[in-house]
Amino acid sequence: MEIAFPFRYFTDNGFDVDIVTPKGGKAAVYHSGKISDELAQIQGSKSFVEKTQNTLPAGKIRSTDYAAIYYPGGHGQYWDVIPDVRIAAAAAAIHESGGVIGAAGHGTASLVNVRLSDGRYLVENKRMTCFPWWAEKQWMNISDYGKLLPFDMQEELLKRMANLVVSTKETMNDKSLVLVSDDANRLVTGSFASSAKPVAAEMHRLLIANKAAAAPRPATGT
C-alpha cells in the first residue's frame, strides 16, 4: 500500500511517475497478509506492473526531470536506499529547486543522510514525523522488533535537528501527529503505512501551490 496507493493517486491526477531503485529492474514489491480489492486492482494494473518490473536505475535519472520525490516504506530502505548517494543527491536537488519531498512509514528513514548543497541535513529545522520507535519495538517482527535495524530513525532524525513530532500510542489516531506537512519547506511525512495515500494528497496540494506560485502574474494597471 505504501507504493501502490500513492502511485495510483499521482497517476490519476495527471502526473507521470517513475519508480527508481539503486540498480534498476524489478522492484521488491511485497505485502503482508490479505490485501483489499482496491490494492489488488492497482497491483494488477498494466501501468503499475510495467513501472515496478522496469524501475529506473539511480545512476540514470536527472533530478531536473522531477517536481517531487516520494519514499515508500519497507525495511529494505535501510540497506538499499539510505546508503545510495545518487538517490540522496537527487532528493536534495529536487528540494533545492523548489520540489516537494514526501515519505510514509519507514520511508522517512531514507531522509536521514540527505544533505543539501551547503552541507546541512535536509531535515534540519523541518517539521516532520516518522515511524515511532515504540511501534518498531512492539509491532515489527520482521526487524526482530528493531534489533536487526542499523539505527533508530527517530533518534537519528533528532540528532540531525529535525523538528520531530512523534505519534504515541495514545495519539496515533490524531491526524495532526500521524500526517505532518511542513508547507514552508515542502516536506510531507506520515507515521505509518496507512499514511501513504494522505501523504500523496498533501504532496499534490503543495505541487499545485508551487505551480500557482511560479505562474506568470498578469500585468496590472491603474
Side-chain angles (χ1 to χ4, degrees):
M1 71 171 68
E2 292 177 76
I3 189 168
F5 285 146
F7 180 88
R8 171 61 63 85
Y9 187 93
F10 288 127
T11 54
D12 280 355
N13 281 281
F15 291 94
D16 292 326
V17 177
D18 288 328
I19 299 177
V20 177
T21 55
K23 296 181 179 179
K26 186 178 179 180
V29 178
Y30 60 92
H31 60 82
S32 59
K34 186 178 179 180
I35 63 174
S36 67
D37 291 343
E38 181 186 11
L39 187 55
Q41 181 186 52
I42 298 169
Q43 290 189 178
S45 68
K46 181 179 178 181
S47 58
F48 186 80
V49 170
E50 171 66 23
K51 291 290 187 177
T52 54
Q53 295 282 327
N54 300 281
T55 70
L56 301 180
K60 293 189 177 180
I61 63 169
R62 297 185 306 173
S63 60
T64 52
D65 291 340
Y66 301 97
I69 182 170
Y70 165 77
Y71 290 94
H75 289 89
Q77 300 278 347
Y78 285 86
W79 290 274
D80 295 339
V81 178
I82 295 171
D84 197 297
V85 296
R86 301 163 301 178
I87 296 176
I94 289 168
H95 182 268
E96 291 188 314
S97 66
V100 177
I101 308 292
H106 289 87
T108 308
S110 297
L111 300 176
V112 163
N113 290 329
V114 178
R115 289 182 182 267
L116 302 176
S117 58
D118 62 5
R120 291 182 299 116
Y121 287 107
L122 182 145
V123 299
E124 184 178 327
N125 296 323
K126 306 291 194 304
R127 187 173 184 272
M128 61 186 298
T129 189
C130 70
F131 190 80
W133 187 242
W134 65 260
E136 191 74 46
K137 293 194 293 183
Q138 290 193 21
W139 299 346
M140 295 291 105
N141 63 329
I142 194 172
S143 71
D144 193 13
Y145 307 99
K147 295 175 185 176
L148 298 178
L149 298 182
F151 61 83
D152 166 1
M153 80 167 94
Q154 183 177 326
E155 180 180 288
E156 293 302 310
L157 289 167
L158 288 171
K159 286 180 182 178
R160 279 127 173 83
M161 296 187 288
N163 181 5
L164 200 59
V165 180
V166 181
S167 178
T168 67
K169 282 182 280 188
E170 293 73 28
T171 62
M172 61 181 291
N173 293 319
D174 185 338
K175 182 180 176 182
S176 67
L177 298 179
V178 172
L179 179 72
V180 175
S181 182
D182 186 335
D183 289 18
N185 291 300
R186 307 175 312 284
L187 176 65
V188 185
T189 48
S191 301
F192 307 111
S194 57
S195 306
K197 192 186 293 186
V199 166
E202 280 293 290
M203 291 177 68
H204 183 210
R205 180 180 65 80
L206 291 178
L207 284 164
I208 291 173
N210 275 2
K211 187 175 181 180
R217 295 293 186 267
T220 57
T222 56

